[in-house]
Amino acid sequence: MKIVLCVKQVPDTSDIKWTENNTIQREGLESITNPYDVYAFESALRLKNKYGNVSITALTMGPGQAEEMLRKFIALGADNGVLLCDKKFAGADTYATGKTIASAIESKISDYDLIVCGQFAVDGDTAQTGPSIANFLGIPQVTYVKEILEYSEGSVLLVRELDCGVETVRVKLPALICVLDNDFEPTRATINGIARGQAAKIERYGIDDIDLGVEQAGLKGSPTYVSKAFRAPQKQVECEFLTSCDDLAHQIKVCGGLCE
């Protein structure tokens, strides 16, 4: 079984800078791994540990500094790393990002069985990129996945979260899933794992390597236009601490509420 793990670096929210096109400036910015992608990795790793004959390729699109994140995933148990790195990818919205990643998977990792993504990216919170990849590849998708129960007969059995409860679903491979947070204990890298990650060869591909036109990628390929980006102003609110039931009852009366 071959798994493609789609991961992303997200910026430190305390130090966000904007480009002239009102997109996030990612080059040279302090970044962390998107938390939901860590949950996705743990789900993929559990499959690998359970069935053995499973390989995981961690794939990301971003600046050169994202290579270190891929090495960390290899140190934790992934087998390979792929970095989509090209200035022409910059400024991509979820549509262009999905198209770029799908094109890379189709041209470079076409023998995949399962694509695993985090449900959200905390820098955008749209939950659109995973479904967009599945749409461009023409494969089934399952979102809001909490756990992968089993892999058998060319399919996976999943538990997904709904507003009204949970649902057990079996999906035929190849397919894409988007993983929510779960209760798995995060894997820690071993000394040998860290050495393996540092020694690993990270494959780098640009726009010319993945059969994608310049007009389809980055800012040019993005139908979304950000008209304005700004930090919400912080407001200081005066608070009054109530230390007794009598004070609370009085405050309710002052505010026009009912008190028995």
Side-chain angles (χ1 to χ4, degrees):
M1 182 184 192
K2 295 187 177 181
I3 296 176
V4 177
L5 174 74
C6 295
V7 294
K8 180 182 182 182
Q9 280 192 321
V10 293
D12 181 349
T13 55
S14 65
D15 189 31
I16 290 179
K17 296 181 177 66
W18 308 98
T19 70
E20 60 182 7
N21 296 307
N22 292 321
T23 59
I24 295 175
Q25 178 183 317
R26 300 183 185 274
E27 190 75 42
L29 188 64
E30 186 68 29
S31 300
I32 62 171
T33 301
N34 179 49
Y36 284 95
D37 297 345
V38 176
Y39 299 132
F41 169 71
E42 291 297 334
S43 296
L45 191 59
R46 285 171 76 91
L47 268 183
K48 181 177 180 178
N49 293 336
K50 183 176 180 179
Y51 293 100
N53 189 25
V54 176
S55 66
I56 301 173
T57 297
L59 179 151
T60 192
M61 185 176 85
Q65 68 194 46
E67 183 175 304
E68 285 307 307
M69 175 186 64
L70 296 176
R71 295 190 183 282
K72 289 179 181 178
F73 277 110
I74 293 173
L76 292 169
D79 299 277
N80 307 291
V82 173
L83 174 59
L84 306 180
C85 186
D86 195 313
K87 290 188 180 297
K88 296 182 179 66
F89 295 153
D93 64 2
T94 54
Y95 179 88
T97 299
K99 192 172 187 64
T100 302
I101 293 174
S103 181
I105 292 174
E106 198 165 36
S107 60
K108 300 298 181 182
I109 327 173
S110 59
D111 57 345
Y112 68 91
D113 297 293
L114 181 66
I115 302 172
V116 183
C117 308
Q119 181 63 50
F120 302 101
V122 295
D123 61 345
D125 210 29
T126 63
Q128 294 174 349
T129 301
S132 180
I133 296 170
N135 177 64
F136 284 119
L137 291 173
I139 59 176
Q141 58 177 288
V142 182
T143 56
Y144 297 95
V145 172
K146 292 289 288 185
E147 186 177 358
I148 306 173
L149 296 178
E150 68 174 28
Y151 161 59
S152 64
E153 299 177 358
S155 66
V156 287
L157 186 66
L158 312 164
V159 175
R160 64 190 301 258
E161 188 175 278
L162 305 176
D163 290 338
C164 56
V166 295
E167 179 181 41
T168 302
V169 179
R170 184 176 292 278
V171 60
K172 186 177 179 180
L173 302 178
L176 179 145
I177 64 172
C178 296
V179 178
L180 276 174
D181 56 311
N182 49 51
D183 299 327
F184 302 159
E185 183 71 23
T187 300
R188 297 178 183 272
T190 63
I191 296 297
N192 289 339
I194 294 172
R196 185 173 61 252
Q198 290 304 311
K201 180 182 177 181
I202 305 298
E203 299 290 341
R204 285 201 183 200
Y205 300 120
I207 195 167
D208 295 332
D209 300 313
I210 60 172
D211 194 27
L212 191 68
V214 175
E215 299 297 325
Q216 298 174 294
L219 197 62
K220 289 184 177 181
S222 301
T224 305
Y225 173 72
V226 181
S227 61
K228 186 178 181 180
F230 61 93
R231 290 183 181 274
Q234 295 183 348
K235 297 181 179 179
Q236 290 186 345
V237 179
E238 294 184 4
C239 298
E240 179 181 354
F241 292 92
L242 305 178
T243 58
S244 70
C245 292
D246 290 340
D247 291 340
L248 177 60
H250 174 72
Q251 192 64 36
I252 291 175
K253 288 181 179 181
V254 170
C255 295
L258 299 176
C259 181
E260 295 182 359

